[in-house]
Amino acid sequence: TVKRIYAFDVNADQLVFDDVTVGWLRRFDAFMAETSGSRNARNIHLRNIRTVFNDAIDDEITTSYPFRRFKIRPEQTRKRSMSVETLRRLFDAGNLDDWEVKYRDFFKLSFMLIGINVVDLCGLTDMSDGRINYTRAKTHKPYSIKVEPEILSLIEQYRGSDQLLNFMEGYANYRSFYMNLCNGLKSIKAKLEIKELSTYWARHTWATIAAELDIPDAVISQALGHAASNSTTEIYIRRNQRKMDEANRRVLDWVLYGMR
């Protein structure tokens, strides 16, 4: 955010709180819009500035607060989910090249593991008692997923030497792998004539299908890791794990076998 402010105003080191008015915020937002069309991306920087003002007010450094009149309005996130029919067509596609199959299976594993994100999937190290246990990189909270037979089959196919899975083996670093993953999914999208396909779609599609199966919102939220709070503990996870396991099994049965 500081870098963006200096790009907007080379004399930003001379700014004081009174200088950051509603007009200044509007001009800064317009400047960011020239290179970032995403309202939500720009809002990150505006919220950071607002946080500094809130802290400064708490510390009695300033009484200025332009955010009483300047409102940060979020833009509704575009839905990133595909239909069950499209998902089945992706999973069953027989016209993919070997290198595309690898990235398709990565997406498939992500979906089957309740939309686990790329960083966490690449970082898995082992299984224990039929479960995958890890700490989410985004929230730093413990997480556990039952390894269903279909998941185990894919794990055995892509078993790694250092990590649980070998997807990153042969790549210099995570960024290199992620770029190839994105390119692989883009190639698959074109070949299968799928409207959109990215790693985010595994998570959103799992949640959408779970909702269509009338799985309670609270269970979906917990399965995605949204329900976890500062009080989350290993005991909390074990106590509520059964509902999450059942939800994932229902989603897999419907997608893979048409069984509701």
Side-chain angles (χ1 to χ4, degrees):
T1 300
V2 169
K3 290 180 180 178
R4 297 292 282 157
I5 291 174
Y6 270 99
F8 168 63
D9 184 353
V10 294
N11 297 314
D13 57 343
Q14 299 177 26
L15 282 174
V16 296
F17 284 102
D18 287 345
D19 294 331
V20 183
T21 62
V22 172
W24 187 96
L25 289 170
R26 287 173 178 163
R27 293 192 299 274
F28 179 56
D29 187 33
F31 165 77
M32 290 192 294
E34 294 175 3
T35 56
S36 176
S38 170
R39 158 59 58 193
N40 291 336
R42 302 199 302 274
N43 283 351
I44 293 173
H45 299 295
L46 295 170
R47 284 196 297 268
N48 287 343
I49 295 172
R50 185 175 63 186
T51 297
V52 171
F53 267 88
N54 288 333
D55 283 350
I57 289 173
D58 289 343
D59 292 339
E60 299 181 351
I61 294 173
T62 185
T63 57
S64 298
Y65 195 68
F67 293 94
R68 291 189 184 91
R69 291 172 50 209
F70 183 89
K71 302 302 180 183
I72 302 175
R73 305 187 187 281
E75 183 177 64
Q76 185 175 3
T77 302
R78 180 171 56 90
K79 292 186 181 299
R80 297 170 174 170
S81 61
M82 63 182 71
S83 67
V84 174
E85 293 74 20
T86 301
L87 189 63
R88 289 170 181 162
R89 185 158 60 89
L90 171 64
F91 286 177
D92 297 335
N95 61 332
L96 301 180
D97 295 333
D98 289 344
W99 69 278
E100 292 172 323
V101 170
K102 172 184 176 180
Y103 296 120
R104 188 274 309 276
D105 287 348
F106 187 97
F107 181 93
K108 192 174 183 179
L109 258 177
S110 176
F111 174 83
M112 290 182 169
L113 290 171
I114 315 182
I116 185 173
N117 66 32
V118 178
V119 171
D120 291 330
L121 185 53
C122 289
L124 296 178
T125 56
D126 203 356
M127 296 183 295
S128 176
D129 297 325
R131 308 193 70 85
I132 286 175
N133 301 291
Y134 66 98
T135 300
R136 286 194 68 198
K138 182 177 181 179
T139 62
H140 307 292
K141 296 186 183 299
Y143 202 64
S144 180
I145 303 174
K146 181 181 178 182
V147 179
E148 299 290 348
E150 298 87 349
I151 297 172
L152 181 60
S153 177
L154 281 172
I155 289 175
E156 294 298 344
Q157 183 178 346
Y158 293 98
R159 175 80 70 167
S161 54
D162 297 325
Q163 303 297 113
L164 178 62
L165 302 164
N166 65 10
F167 288 107
M168 278 190 56
E169 292 179 7
Y171 293 96
N173 50 48
Y174 170 79
R175 182 179 294 274
S176 177
F177 165 74
Y178 184 71
M179 289 178 61
N180 280 273
L181 171 63
C182 292
N183 289 333
L185 294 179
K186 183 178 179 180
S187 177
I188 295 169
K189 179 183 74 171
K191 182 173 289 187
L192 300 183
E193 298 182 345
I194 296 175
K195 186 175 181 180
E196 291 289 347
L197 180 63
S198 71
T199 55
Y200 293 104
W201 284 66
R203 186 173 181 83
H204 287 255
T205 300
W206 189 96
T208 300
I209 293 174
E212 291 172 352
L213 292 173
D214 294 325
I215 293 171
D217 290 348
V219 176
I220 296 174
S221 182
Q222 185 179 333
L224 295 173
H226 295 165
S229 64
N230 291 333
S231 63
T232 300
T233 63
E234 294 285 350
I235 295 175
Y236 178 86
I237 287 177
R238 285 198 297 270
R239 187 171 64 242
N240 294 274
Q241 196 65 60
R242 179 179 57 82
K243 294 179 181 179
M244 294 168 56
D245 294 345
E246 292 174 350
N248 196 34
R249 185 66 259 175
R250 286 185 61 191
V251 170
L252 296 184
D253 283 342
W254 173 232
V255 172
L256 299 178
Y257 312 113
M259 297 168 51
R260 279 187 176 269

